[in-house]
Amino acid sequence: MATSTFLPTLSRRSSDLSKHSAEVFAEADDHPVTVTRRDGEPLVLMSQREAEARAHLLDFAAQLITVTLDDRGTLAERMSRAFPWMLALSSADRTTCAQDLVDAARASIATDQPHLAITRLTSWKETATALAAGLGAVDLVWLETDDDEPVARP
């Protein structure tokens, strides 16, 4: 990639913070804002949610780099060592999960959208947790609320 992944797209002058602070803060709730200054380096204003999402993505990316540097076993086996919760998944699901997480991380970084990888990671982890708790071993019957007739799975 030629440009930095985490560059904010909107720029404001530092004087805007004093003159139009509510407007600038509202913009920073939606996306990072670069605040330019005459007397120093530009600053980036963003929500804590955004900063935490970026930190989670960087942590996840660091774990993936560690996995790729390990040459023992398949991608699914290596990722299961880094993410032990994956062991609750079937072998086929571990393979799917491993590739899905790598693809989601690549998409997140390429689009500067940390939530893509983090939600995928959370989804797979929650699935593994549910399976470990025995949820996958039970055949569920979905019932309509009015007459208790079985319906197709939603």
Side-chain angles (χ1 to χ4, degrees), residues 3-118:
T3 61
S4 174
T5 305
F6 298 118
L7 285 179
T9 57
L10 185 67
S11 182
R12 301 286 286 218
R13 293 183 313 260
S14 59
S15 60
D16 290 340
L17 279 175
S18 59
K19 294 177 184 174
H20 310 287
S21 60
E23 184 180 313
V24 174
F25 290 142
E27 290 169 355
D29 276 339
D30 293 334
H31 48 77
V33 175
T34 298
V35 178
T36 58
R37 306 179 302 164
R38 280 191 233 163
D39 60 346
E41 259 187 271
L43 301 174
V44 177
L45 181 64
M46 68 178 73
S47 69
Q48 183 170 350
R49 179 191 77 251
E50 178 77 22
E52 288 173 356
R54 290 166 186 256
H56 287 297
L57 179 59
L58 286 175
D59 182 51
F60 180 48
Q63 290 174 304
L64 287 179
I65 290 169
T66 301
V67 165
T68 61
L69 294 175
D70 184 358
D71 61 355
R72 297 169 291 137
T74 66
L75 176 63
E77 291 167 345
R78 296 187 318 255
M79 286 193 62
S80 294
R81 286 192 292 275
F83 305 105
W85 52 262
M86 285 179 63
L87 296 171
L89 301 171
S90 69
S91 179
D93 283 345
R94 280 195 298 270
T95 301
T96 302
C97 174
Q99 190 60 56
D100 193 31
L101 292 178
V102 169
D103 293 345
R106 292 178 70 199
S108 281
I109 292 168
T111 62
D112 194 20
Q113 299 295 316
H115 69 277
L116 298 175
I118 301 308

